[in-house]
């Protein structure tokens, strides 16, 4: 291992979040773990999101900024991942922010137990209703979680708990992500994340859950970009993808997707 390798690549994706992106980036700059790179990917914004990212990069040499035509969050994250040089990777949406110990605490656990992935919680910060909503995961806390437990708990819950399909509530070893990264055409703007994480979970031997809400998932209005993650139509797409393309392959059995997902 290269001695001066970057510990963590933080990938921030943004689309028309000029009001919030500065707070997001600042929360990463202030992390207690400092040997990091901050990769900002603007997904074809029509406002000043990209300009603000560029301004922030002048103030901190760890920040690298890229832009692309609007292609959706999965494609933006993939672009950031292609540019990442860190041992581990974390994803953030640019209208959210993270607590100062997120990177350090997750990094320490990954290094201590030689893991490929660690989970942590998010809190939904509903600013227009002035409400905080904790979202703890249904996982054993503060211990190694075995492959058998991953298959028993995480797979069935993928369709019921967006924390499992969200890229933003995990730190992941970059080499592990690369080894599971099968090249395919991106056909959905908001469905591909779950497909990718099902691939990761199918190759994950063990993991760990830190029961702390480091990630602040912010809702600024009914039209907030982040709300797409809980849109009912989004989960209907996920159910179809889960049933048709992954469950049979992962467990070599008939897909019970509608039972798993609480449908009829």
């Amino acid at each position: 291992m290269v001695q001066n390798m970057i510990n963590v690549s933080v990938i921030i994706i943004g689309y028309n979040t000029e009001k919030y992106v500065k707070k997001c980036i600042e929360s990463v700059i202030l992390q207690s773990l400092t040997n990091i790179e901050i990769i900002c990917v603007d997904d074809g914004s029509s406002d000043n999101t990209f300009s603000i990212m560029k301004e922030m990069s002048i103030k901190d040499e760890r920040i690298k900024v890229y832009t692309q035509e609007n292609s959706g969050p999965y494609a933006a994250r993939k672009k950031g991942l292609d540019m990442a040089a860190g041992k581990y990777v974390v994803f953030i949406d640019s209208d959210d922010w993270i607590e100062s110990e997120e990177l350090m605490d997750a990094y320490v656990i990954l290094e201590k137990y030689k893991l490929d992935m660690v989970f942590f919680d998010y809190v939904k910060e509903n600013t227009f209703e002035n409400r905080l909503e904790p979202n703890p995961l249904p996982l054993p806390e503060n211990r190694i979680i075995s492959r058998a437990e991953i298959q028993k708990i995480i797979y069935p819950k993928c369709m019921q708990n967006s924390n499992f399909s969200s890229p933003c509530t995990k730190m992941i070893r970059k080499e592990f992500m690369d080894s599971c990264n099968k090249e395919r055409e991106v056909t959905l703007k908001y469905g591909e994340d779950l497909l990718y994480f099902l691939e990761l979970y199918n190759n994950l031997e063990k993991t760990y859950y830190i029961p702390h809400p480091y990630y602040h998932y912010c809702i600024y209005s009914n039209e907030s970009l982040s709300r797409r993650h809980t849109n009912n139509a989004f989960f209907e797409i996920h159910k179809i993808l889960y049933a048709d393309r992954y469950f049979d392959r992962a467990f070599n059995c008939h897909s019970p997707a509608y039972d798993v997902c609480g449908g009829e």
Side-chain angles (χ1 to χ4, degrees):
M1 186 62 65
V2 179
Q3 187 173 2
N4 61 350
M5 183 179 187
I6 294 168
N7 294 144
V8 180
S9 296
V10 181
I11 300 173
I12 300 173
I13 64 163
Y15 177 70
N16 290 348
T17 54
E18 62 181 6
K19 295 180 180 178
Y20 318 115
V21 64
K22 184 177 180 180
K23 178 179 179 179
C24 175
I25 296 174
E26 286 178 341
S27 75
V28 182
I29 290 174
L30 295 173
Q31 290 292 301
S32 60
L33 183 69
T34 59
N35 183 23
I36 65 175
E37 65 176 356
I38 305 168
I39 299 173
C40 299
V41 181
D42 172 64
D43 189 30
S45 296
S46 58
D47 65 2
N48 292 316
T49 298
F50 179 65
S51 297
I52 295 169
M53 289 176 172
K54 291 291 287 183
E55 290 173 7
M56 298 290 285
S57 71
I58 296 172
K59 301 175 183 178
D60 193 317
E61 63 182 8
R62 298 175 299 174
I63 301 174
K64 304 168 186 177
V65 181
Y66 304 92
T67 190
Q68 64 179 26
E69 293 184 6
N70 181 243
S71 304
Y74 176 81
R77 277 188 275 271
K78 187 176 185 302
K79 184 179 182 71
L81 188 61
D82 289 342
M83 303 298 174
K87 184 175 181 180
Y88 301 103
V89 177
V90 161
F91 297 98
I92 310 175
D93 289 345
S94 61
D95 50 354
D96 300 331
W97 63 278
I98 61 174
E99 296 182 4
S100 62
E101 298 302 315
E102 176 185 304
L103 302 187
M104 179 65 80
D105 289 354
Y107 175 79
V108 167
I109 292 296
L110 286 164
E111 288 285 288
K112 179 179 180 179
Y113 296 108
K114 309 301 180 186
L115 301 172
D116 290 320
M117 183 186 300
V118 64
F119 290 84
F120 44 83
D121 289 329
Y122 74 91
V123 59
K124 186 180 290 186
E125 193 171 303
N126 194 324
T127 61
F128 76 102
E129 293 181 357
N130 194 28
R131 187 173 74 241
L132 293 176
E133 302 173 27
N135 286 271
L137 275 170
L139 288 174
E141 300 179 359
N142 296 316
R143 70 164 174 82
I144 296 296
I145 298 169
S146 68
R147 178 164 176 79
E149 290 173 307
I150 292 169
Q151 294 181 346
K152 181 179 179 181
I153 303 172
I154 295 180
Y155 255 93
K157 294 291 185 182
C158 274
M159 305 310 306
Q160 301 167 327
N161 191 319
S162 62
N163 205 338
F164 287 127
S165 59
S166 169
C168 300
T169 54
K170 306 157 186 69
M171 184 179 285
I172 311 169
R173 186 183 299 270
K174 173 70 160 51
E175 288 183 356
F176 175 66
M177 299 187 77
D178 290 342
S179 70
C180 300
N181 189 13
K182 300 175 183 177
E183 287 296 327
R184 63 172 182 269
E185 181 183 358
V186 179
T187 57
L188 293 170
K189 280 194 174 184
Y190 304 120
E192 293 288 342
D193 281 327
L194 178 63
L195 295 182
Y196 183 49
F197 274 94
L198 287 172
E199 290 175 0
L200 293 182
Y201 296 152
N202 193 40
N203 289 279
L204 192 62
E205 292 299 324
K206 58 184 178 178
T207 188
Y208 193 102
Y209 167 47
I210 307 172
H212 184 86
Y214 299 105
Y215 191 93
H216 287 245
Y217 163 49
C218 300
I219 305 296
Y220 295 100
S221 71
N222 282 317
E223 289 75 38
S224 175
L225 179 65
S226 298
R227 291 181 71 90
R228 65 182 176 228
H229 297 301
T230 54
N231 184 279
N232 288 334
F234 183 29
F235 278 91
E236 288 302 315
I237 293 172
H238 276 185
K239 282 198 284 188
I240 295 170
L241 294 171
Y242 183 78
D244 291 347
R245 296 172 63 179
Y246 279 88
F247 197 92
D248 290 343
R249 282 185 245 174
F251 294 102
N252 192 29
C253 62
H254 177 68
S255 168
Y258 288 98
D259 294 334
V260 169
C261 304
E264 298 179 355

